[in-house]
Amino acid sequence: MSVALRAQLLLFLLSISWRTGLSRYIEDTEAEDGLYSLLSLDQKRESEDFIFRRPLRCLDMLATDGYFTFVASQPQLACAAFIIAGPSEVISLELSDVNIDCSAGDFVKMFDGWVLKGEKFPSRQDHQLPLHQRYTDYCSSAAPGATSRSSQNVAMVFFRIHSPDSGFTLAVRKIHNPFPCNIMSQSPEGSFTMVMPHQHRNCSFSIIYPVEIRMTDLSLGQAKSNELSPQRQAWAGCSGSGDYVELLGGNGVDTSMMVPMADLCFSLTGLAQMKIGCDNSVVRLVSSGNYVNRVSFQYRLLEQRELPKSPENALDNFCSVE
């Protein structure tokens, strides 16, 4: 990930809290878990050619394999590291050299996904595990260390440390995922194909930029036609189907809280496109498990002149980007 793209990613994540009037960098995300989240603005470039070591900051973002060591110089009560991998990868996390006092309220917790402003990616509806199983708590682990493996290309580590010189080392390793599902894109442009092989599961591809999305191929098992006819270009009526694709727009990360912009529940070969002027644009594949479903699409960043200026069309201009 380039420095410019990573900076935009960080700015997006921080802007979620700014819009809600939060000047602090943390917000309570789950009362039952007592966890906190948000992100740092400062990020230095990291090489992706080799595994390396560097210090871990209280608020940090990691996009490469390596060993990251945190040592507190003062009490750090609300820290978080966001980890992102490539679209076709999942993330393995392992803690070592942990020197914290769990009885004094210190903790290190790993989360399968991202948490921002109380919203989670993937959403509860789209993740295969219940929420409590997505957390791995070092202080609750019987083993001397703790490991976690994400279900998608993003993961998080929350930690709170009271005593100076206490800390831990986090090992990050990326693993190939043959059937990627629930992806956070690192880039504002590209192409991707999601395949769901006979699984009752929903998969989202989240692009945290305002983009134009072009659907290039869609294969749904229940479809009766492979042609995109003019009469069927009305983007409506698919939510009752067990297998369909929907386009979502919003300014958060939880797909269940985003606005449906369009949907397709028939196969097509050719181009169908839409501009979504939101901070977060999502292609979501809903599968009943009865078929092998596939969706291919391209996406590109909208230029400044293409961003919505007024709510003339409730579909195309739902989100305003400042």
Side-chain angles (χ1 to χ4, degrees):
M1 187 193 301
S2 71
V3 174
L5 292 181
R6 187 171 296 149
Q8 179 144 353
L9 175 62
L10 293 166
L11 285 171
F12 162 77
L13 297 173
L14 287 171
S15 72
I16 296 174
S17 68
W18 293 339
R19 285 194 192 92
T20 59
L22 295 175
S23 58
R24 302 185 311 274
Y25 53 80
I26 324 224
E27 176 168 314
D28 194 359
T29 59
E30 280 294 321
E32 70 266 28
D33 297 291
L35 296 180
Y36 301 87
S37 68
L38 219 77
L39 190 57
S40 100
L41 186 60
D42 179 34
Q43 175 68 39
K44 75 175 183 180
R45 185 176 183 132
E46 298 161 350
S47 167
E48 298 187 7
D49 296 331
F50 58 91
I51 296 176
F52 65 96
R53 296 178 180 269
R54 76 157 171 84
L56 181 70
R57 293 179 285 271
C58 176
L59 294 177
D60 212 335
M61 184 156 203
L62 312 177
T64 187
D65 292 355
Y67 294 87
F68 305 90
T69 300
F70 181 82
V71 178
S73 58
Q74 60 184 9
Q76 299 284 5
L77 306 183
C79 298
F82 290 72
I83 304 102
I84 187 167
S88 297
E89 295 174 321
V90 293
I91 301 165
S92 171
L93 302 176
E94 182 175 2
L95 296 173
S96 63
D97 302 324
V98 182
N99 174 29
I100 64 173
D101 187 351
C102 296
S103 63
D106 293 356
F107 65 72
V108 182
K109 302 183 182 184
M110 293 172 281
F111 181 69
D112 185 2
W114 276 4
V115 185
L116 285 162
K117 199 185 69 69
E119 296 187 14
K120 298 173 181 62
F121 179 86
S123 69
R124 298 188 190 210
Q125 290 85 341
D126 290 353
H127 203 284
Q128 291 184 305
L129 296 176
L131 184 61
H132 70 278
Q133 291 185 19
R134 296 170 65 180
Y135 293 103
T136 301
D137 186 350
Y138 172 84
C139 289
S140 299
S141 174
T147 61
S148 177
R149 180 166 171 169
S150 71
S151 304
Q152 61 290 311
N153 75 323
V154 292
M156 284 189 71
V157 178
F158 305 89
F159 53 100
R160 172 186 296 165
I161 297 177
H162 291 81
S163 301
D165 299 324
S166 297
F168 60 92
T169 293
L170 174 70
V172 176
R173 185 166 62 95
K174 292 180 283 188
I175 302 169
H176 177 67
N177 181 13
F179 292 104
C181 178
N182 296 323
I183 299 121
M184 186 73 74
S185 176
Q186 294 186 4
S187 170
E189 59 182 25
S191 61
F192 198 77
T193 297
M194 282 193 295
V195 179
M196 186 45 54
H198 294 287
Q199 293 184 27
H200 179 43
R201 190 178 182 188
N202 306 327
C203 293
S204 294
F205 189 94
S206 182
I207 311 158
I208 52 175
Y209 305 88
V211 296
E212 178 186 69
I213 296 174
R214 294 189 177 190
M215 313 289 292
T216 56
D217 185 69
L218 176 60
S219 176
L220 298 172
Q222 83 282 16
K224 297 180 180 180
S225 171
N226 289 325
E227 298 295 330
L228 179 62
S229 63
Q231 293 80 11
R232 303 189 71 179
Q233 290 185 32
W235 302 71
C238 293
S239 59
S241 172
D243 300 84
Y244 63 97
V245 168
E246 62 179 347
L247 302 183
L248 306 173
N251 294 325
V253 297
D254 189 329
T255 55
S256 67
M257 302 176 67
M258 298 176 70
V259 175
M261 313 293 280
D263 56 25
L264 284 171
C265 49
F266 56 92
S267 292
L268 67 87
T269 301
L271 292 177
Q273 66 187 55
M274 172 170 284
K275 296 178 180 179
I276 302 178
C278 298
D279 279 0
N280 194 8
S281 309
V282 172
V283 178
R284 184 169 182 261
L285 176 62
V286 178
S287 297
S288 65
N290 297 322
Y291 312 100
V292 177
N293 293 326
R294 183 183 71 252
V295 57
S296 299
F297 53 93
Q298 301 171 347
Y299 54 100
R300 68 168 183 86
L301 181 67
L302 293 179
E303 298 179 9
Q304 188 65 35
R305 60 180 175 78
E306 298 178 280
L307 297 178
K309 298 297 190 299
S310 61
E312 297 174 358
N313 184 304
L315 185 63
D316 293 331
N317 295 297
F318 179 83
C319 295
S320 60
V321 181
E322 299 178 354

